[in-house]
Amino acid sequence: MAGKGPHCSFVLLAEFDIDSGAQLTYQFPQPLGTDEGLLANLMLPDGAERHLEDWTIFFLNQTPFNTIAPVLALETELSDNQSSREDGCPELLYVLNLVRTKHDKSVRRGAVVKAMAICTRHPFIQIFKPVLLLALDDYFANPSQECLARLFDAINSMDISAAPALTRYEKLIMRASERKDIFAEKFSTNAPPLPPKLAHKTTSSNGSHSSEDGVLVGSTRTRSTTAASDPNPTHPSTPSDSSFSLGGSAVWVNDDSVLIDGQVGVAIGAGPGSVGGASVSGSSVLTSRGRRSTDASSNSSHAHSGGAIPTSSDPHLRSGISKDTHFFQTNIAYKGHTLPIKLPLATFPEEVGEYSLIQLIQTFSTPLITVSGPLHPHLHTNGSLTHPIIILFNALVTGKRILFLGHNIPAGQVANYVLSACALGSGCGAILRGFIERAFPYAGLAGGEDWVSTPAYIAGVTNPIFETSAAWDILMDIGTARVVVHKDIHSSFPPTTAPPALVNQMMARPLKAENSIASEDDIQRIATRDGKEGAQKGEFAVKPDNLDNMFIEDLISAITSHFGETLVRMRFTEYVARFIRLASRYEEVAAGTTKLGYSSAPFVDGSLGKGIVFPDEAVALKELATNASRIEGWRRSKSYQYSVQDSKKYRATAPIQGFDVTHQLSRLRMVKNLPDAEVELIVRSIAESLRTYEQVVEILAFMPPHAGGLQPLSFCLFHQQESIREATVDIFNELRQYPVGVIFLQALNHFQRYAYVRQAHARESRVKDLSHGLAPPHLVSRTPSNRSEVSLGGI
């Protein structure tokens, strides 16, 4: 996590002089080697004197006009990153700036305006706000370069060497989970590079466990001591028969009291008297928390139904873990003050600062919002009824010049809208990239001729004079909630629609109906003949129930119901990911092949399907025709080039190889009446692909809690075919070997957990009977022999 180089590369101090204007007073530890007037004007934005305090953000090393050229300082550190970007440009520097106005009648104009900024390579710049506040206060009290030196040294003394470095899939899991103990095992000082399979928990001689502490993963009370002395703790062990005693009403309950310091266990209920110190009789259980329940499964589940919005945001916390593992806890010491710092661990490079998608959506979703200007096929995918947020997204991915205007609004607020827009276009940093490098969170008149010439810029301004220029394509007016499409956009960006022959080809294809999707009834209703005819004529199809409109309506409803930023971000991540898969299918239709991930293919006997999942071919062709223009616009952007590169890298380095994981899970999650042969091949392929921790994390990353988690797989526990049930047990057994898998299993409801435990116990009993010659071989699981040891060890 620490990486190379200092946390703070430079500290800057700017002051406003009534005679000479904005001046850059200090640069520490040495001059940056770029235009000092430009830096001073960025640090002292227009109208700063009207606000007592304002935060602004800007970037360095984006373009030639703001690329730094230090002479002496930090040469060793900077040299490691000078060519970290693919275009050969130096690494981006994120600048957090605090400007403050203090009224003083003894000075001319009655006020003193000063600004202090830090330049860092970390995108989570918000963590430095507390120390920057203290440093600027210190400078007002004692204006000298020593204040900058103290701030520089304090930030660079921050220790994050113990912060865990998460992979892309681990970040996706962490940001989708509200549990405060997710990946807690990575915070152990003695933790290995990869989390081991679940360790065993010993029981003290004078201690006893209730029924909720009955059996721990991979061990029983009788095997704990042996496991503790095992030189290879990651090797699975076979539990005793008491592990799965299902007498009375005891089932696997969701108790976190056994999840301590990475010694993770899952409590599985036992029959009467089978667990020391626990009394289980009939339907009454006295739990370890001192509460009496009518059933051992009465502990409430925090699972959510597939596709439903979670109804509780109260995360669980394992015993012994007092901190939120979404953050790494450290501190900065400044002049006798120790400031606690919470460093976010799941941040992607395209996510800078404390942006808010909720604020962005609410601002441009008011009933009084106006959208003016000509319609453009890249932007208006639903004609005049295209929602402003969708217009913004389309402008982002198709490379339009976007200007956020906030007249009489603090520059810091305007900057946050720009950063939110970058996150929106990139899928919160998880899917696309290339937005931050062309973003100017705050831009002023100084250097305006330079950033305005940047292709596809995303800029925030406070001066209304920019509205009169012809250098933008989309204007987002924050103060008045206006969205304006420039009148000359057709000249700047001639429409790149799909060729008519291509549209006719798509519409003329035979409409072969496939299995319908339970949650996609609205899609079926949208697929009307009017929409097809409009696409053939090149007209704008206008439908109130357009998929994009429904998506935004769902988000607004969730926001109104007080769901948090996490859910909104996850929904946009899914939206952008689906857009990429839709573009991949479009490329196949248009060019015969695709550069984006897997090509599309249906399931045939012995071969899994791949590509995006549609309810039927009619809806597929309809949606492709509707989105053809914005996909064509995106294919001509730099973001598309980055996506092609990333797609190749992800496919080459993905832990699970050989099949499209997203497609298989989408089929299980969405399709009704799935053929038994396909279900069996899906679960068997997944089971055979789960061998390592990385593979487990990848499969879990595609099953976020808000989309149902493991529920699509858990339904296979109730399938009529034994081979499907057994393969599903294999999958769950492998997930159970790791703490993160335990958390996902705990999120299943009581019936699903009970079904898993019952079937795992039945298999264990068969294997045990066979080892004693008490059961014929055909009653034992027919799964491959190389799976039996792993699955039995995880029980």
Side-chain angles (χ1 to χ4, degrees):
M1 183 77 186
K4 298 179 180 180
H7 304 310
C8 177
S9 300
F10 299 93
V11 180
L12 310 176
L13 194 287
E15 299 176 278
F16 183 83
D17 184 89
I18 193 171
D19 296 318
S20 53
Q23 298 293 314
L24 192 63
T25 307
Y26 293 115
Q27 303 176 69
F28 188 87
Q30 69 141 353
L32 277 70
T34 189
D35 187 348
E36 295 185 2
L38 172 64
L39 293 175
N41 281 282
L42 289 173
M43 294 176 65
L44 297 168
D46 296 336
E49 68 280 358
R50 293 194 295 267
H51 309 285
L52 295 179
E53 187 175 281
D54 194 8
W55 295 92
T56 59
I57 297 170
F58 58 94
F59 307 140
L60 297 176
N61 291 339
Q62 285 176 292
T63 58
F65 76 88
N66 67 7
T67 297
I68 65 173
V71 178
L72 299 174
L74 311 177
E75 285 185 354
T76 302
E77 292 83 350
L78 288 175
S79 63
D80 294 327
N81 295 314
Q82 280 294 319
S83 298
S84 60
R85 288 163 60 188
E86 296 178 5
D87 55 7
C89 296
E91 182 184 30
L92 275 181
L93 284 180
Y94 308 96
V95 184
L96 176 66
N97 176 64
L98 172 61
V99 55
R100 180 174 296 167
T101 301
K102 283 197 172 183
H103 296 286
D104 186 351
K105 295 182 179 180
S106 64
V107 299
R108 295 168 63 187
R109 296 189 64 177
V112 177
V113 183
K114 301 180 187 293
M116 184 177 288
I118 60 169
C119 308
T120 177
R121 56 193 175 83
H122 297 307
F124 37 82
I125 55 179
Q126 69 275 11
I127 68 172
F128 300 116
K129 283 187 174 182
V131 69
L132 190 54
L133 278 168
L134 289 181
L136 188 55
D137 282 341
D138 188 19
Y139 185 85
F140 267 100
N142 181 24
S144 68
Q145 192 171 357
E146 294 180 2
C147 298
L148 281 70
R150 278 194 294 268
L151 176 62
F152 182 86
D153 294 337
I155 293 178
N156 287 323
S157 66
M158 180 179 68
D159 183 14
I160 62 172
S161 59
L166 303 183
T167 65
R168 177 175 182 267
Y169 292 117
E170 287 173 332
K171 288 182 179 181
L172 291 175
I173 292 175
M174 175 173 280
R175 64 200 296 140
S177 174
E178 293 186 341
R179 289 190 57 135
K180 293 184 179 180
D181 56 355
I182 192 75
F183 294 120
E185 64 279 359
K186 288 183 169 289
F187 286 79
S188 172
T189 56
N190 299 321
L194 290 179
K197 292 188 177 182
L198 295 179
H200 305 293
K201 180 181 178 181
T202 58
T203 306
S204 60
S205 58
N206 60 351
S208 63
H209 290 285
S210 73
S211 62
E212 290 191 353
D213 299 328
V215 180
L216 304 181
V217 169
S219 92
T220 63
R221 193 178 302 277
T222 59
R223 298 181 63 88
S224 298
T225 306
T226 304
S229 60
D230 189 352
N232 182 18
T234 65
H235 185 75
S237 58
T238 305
S240 67
D241 184 64
S242 63
S243 302
F244 300 99
S245 176
L246 300 177
S249 59
V251 296
W252 177 21
V253 288
N254 168 359
D255 181 20
D256 291 325
S257 63
V258 296
L259 306 180
I260 302 176
D261 296 332
Q263 304 284 330
V264 183
V266 177
I268 301 177
S274 63
V275 180
S279 174
V280 183
S281 60
S283 60
S284 180
V285 179
L286 183 62
T287 71
S288 60
R289 297 188 180 119
R291 58 174 170 81
R292 184 169 296 278
S293 63
T294 57
D295 188 278
S297 65
S298 63
N299 188 24
S300 62
S301 171
H302 56 80
H304 312 299
S305 60
I309 296 176
T311 58
S312 173
S313 60
D314 183 23
H316 294 271
L317 186 65
R318 298 180 197 168
S319 301
I321 300 174
S322 59
K323 298 176 181 178
D324 187 349
T325 54
H326 289 77
F327 303 92
F328 176 75
Q329 307 283 341
T330 184
N331 60 73
I332 293 178
Y334 183 82
K335 290 193 69 176
H337 300 281
T338 301
L339 305 174
I341 302 296
K342 295 174 63 176
L343 184 125
L345 297 176
T347 300
F348 288 100
E350 292 288 325
E351 298 178 291
V352 179
E354 295 176 300
Y355 69 91
S356 171
L357 292 185
I358 290 180
Q359 182 186 49
L360 179 66
I361 294 171
Q362 288 179 326
T363 300
F364 294 101
S365 298
T366 62
L368 300 179
I369 190 169
T370 61
V371 180
S372 59
L375 300 183
H376 194 284
H378 289 181
L379 305 176
H380 300 82
T381 46
N382 190 33
S384 59
L385 294 184
T386 307
H387 194 278
I389 294 296
I390 299 300
I391 293 177
L392 174 60
F393 172 77
N394 294 341
L396 288 163
V397 296
T398 58
K400 303 299 181 287
R401 297 169 297 179
I402 303 172
L403 194 67
F404 283 87
L405 172 63
H407 184 46
N408 290 330
I409 294 177
Q413 293 185 23
V414 178
N416 285 335
Y417 280 94
V418 174
L419 298 177
S420 300
C422 293
L424 183 145
S426 65
C428 297
I431 310 299
L432 296 176
R433 60 188 175 98
F435 298 94
I436 287 296
E437 67 184 30
R438 53 189 171 96
F440 302 88
Y442 171 72
L445 291 172
E449 64 279 1
D450 295 312
W451 64 261
V452 165
S453 63
T454 302
Y457 69 76
I458 312 161
V461 298
T462 58
N463 196 324
I465 195 174
F466 287 102
E467 183 176 357
T468 62
S469 70
W472 52 267
D473 302 307
I474 304 295
L475 175 71
M476 311 289 289
D477 192 330
I478 300 170
T480 61
R482 289 184 303 135
V483 177
V484 183
V485 179
H486 200 279
K487 59 183 178 63
D488 297 328
I489 190 170
H490 285 277
S491 300
S492 303
F493 294 90
T496 52
T497 59
L502 174 60
V503 176
N504 292 332
Q505 175 188 357
M506 290 191 294
M507 294 307 166
R509 283 191 171 193
L511 304 181
K512 182 187 297 184
E514 296 179 356
N515 298 294
S516 62
I517 298 177
S519 62
E520 300 290 339
D521 293 336
D522 292 327
I523 298 180
Q524 300 280 16
R525 175 165 50 87
I526 292 172
T528 61
R529 177 60 56 183
D530 293 339
K532 300 186 181 97
E533 292 176 354
Q536 285 177 309
K537 297 176 182 178
E539 299 172 354
F540 293 95
V542 178
K543 298 180 294 298
D545 55 357
N546 173 271
L547 279 178
D548 288 340
N549 285 4
M550 295 170 60
F551 168 70
I552 296 298
E553 288 174 2
D554 286 345
L555 288 181
I556 294 174
S557 176
I559 294 170
T560 304
S561 300
H562 304 291
F563 288 96
E565 181 78 13
T566 298
L567 177 66
V568 176
R569 294 185 183 185
M570 291 307 302
R571 292 294 304 275
F572 260 107
T573 300
E574 294 171 349
Y575 179 84
V576 178
R578 189 178 187 279
F579 170 76
I580 302 303
R581 294 177 71 83
L582 183 66
S584 175
R585 176 68 181 273
Y586 173 85
E587 282 192 331
E588 287 186 82
V589 177
T593 185
T594 179
K595 300 178 182 179
L596 302 168
Y598 289 92
S599 58
S600 296
F603 166 79
V604 294
D605 291 340
S607 179
L608 290 171
K610 51 188 177 179
I612 189 172
V613 176
F614 291 102
D616 57 47
E617 193 69 8
V619 174
L621 298 179
K622 152 67 179 56
E623 192 168 355
L624 289 173
T626 301
N627 290 274
S629 294
R630 71 170 172 180
I631 293 175
E632 282 289 341
W634 177 61
R635 292 178 67 199
R636 288 161 172 76
S637 70
K638 195 171 183 179
S639 172
Y640 171 80
Q641 299 173 13
Y642 285 146
S643 186
V644 171
Q645 297 170 10
D646 294 340
S647 177
K648 292 180 180 178
K649 182 180 68 175
Y650 293 152
R651 287 195 61 183
T653 60
I656 299 178
Q657 295 284 336
F659 63 95
D660 186 350
V661 178
T662 304
H663 178 92
Q664 316 315 323
L665 297 178
S666 297
R667 296 283 290 176
L668 291 177
R669 185 182 293 118
M670 300 168 63
V671 179
K672 283 183 177 180
N673 303 321
L674 203 60
D676 292 346
E678 182 176 2
V679 177
E680 181 178 7
L681 186 56
I682 289 174
V683 294
R684 190 173 72 243
S685 299
I686 294 176
E688 293 173 352
S689 297
L690 295 184
R691 293 289 189 277
T692 66
Y693 168 77
E694 293 90 346
Q695 292 168 336
V696 167
V697 168
E698 180 182 1
I699 197 73
L700 294 178
F702 292 120
M703 309 183 77
H706 72 273
L710 294 175
Q711 282 195 349
L713 285 173
S714 70
F715 292 140
C716 297
L717 292 169
F718 304 94
H719 200 278
Q720 58 186 355
Q721 291 191 11
E722 181 184 1
S723 59
I724 294 176
R725 299 195 303 270
E726 291 290 343
T728 307
V729 171
D730 283 338
I731 295 172
F732 284 9
N733 282 342
E734 189 63 29
L735 297 182
R736 244 180 115 182
Q737 306 301 314
Y738 303 97
V740 65
V742 170
I743 289 176
F744 273 73
L745 288 168
Q746 286 181 322
L748 294 172
N749 65 40
H750 307 300
F751 299 102
Q752 293 160 341
R753 293 202 302 270
Y754 181 87
Y756 165 50
V757 173
R758 177 177 55 80
Q759 293 179 48
H761 167 56
R763 175 191 291 184
E764 168 65 18
S765 298
R766 291 196 301 268
V767 172
K768 188 173 182 179
D769 291 344
L770 178 63
S771 65
H772 292 84
L774 301 178
H778 71 276
L779 293 180
V780 185
S781 169
R782 290 191 286 269
T783 54
S785 58
N786 62 347
R787 291 293 302 165
S788 60
E789 181 180 1
V790 175
S791 62
L792 292 174
I795 299 299

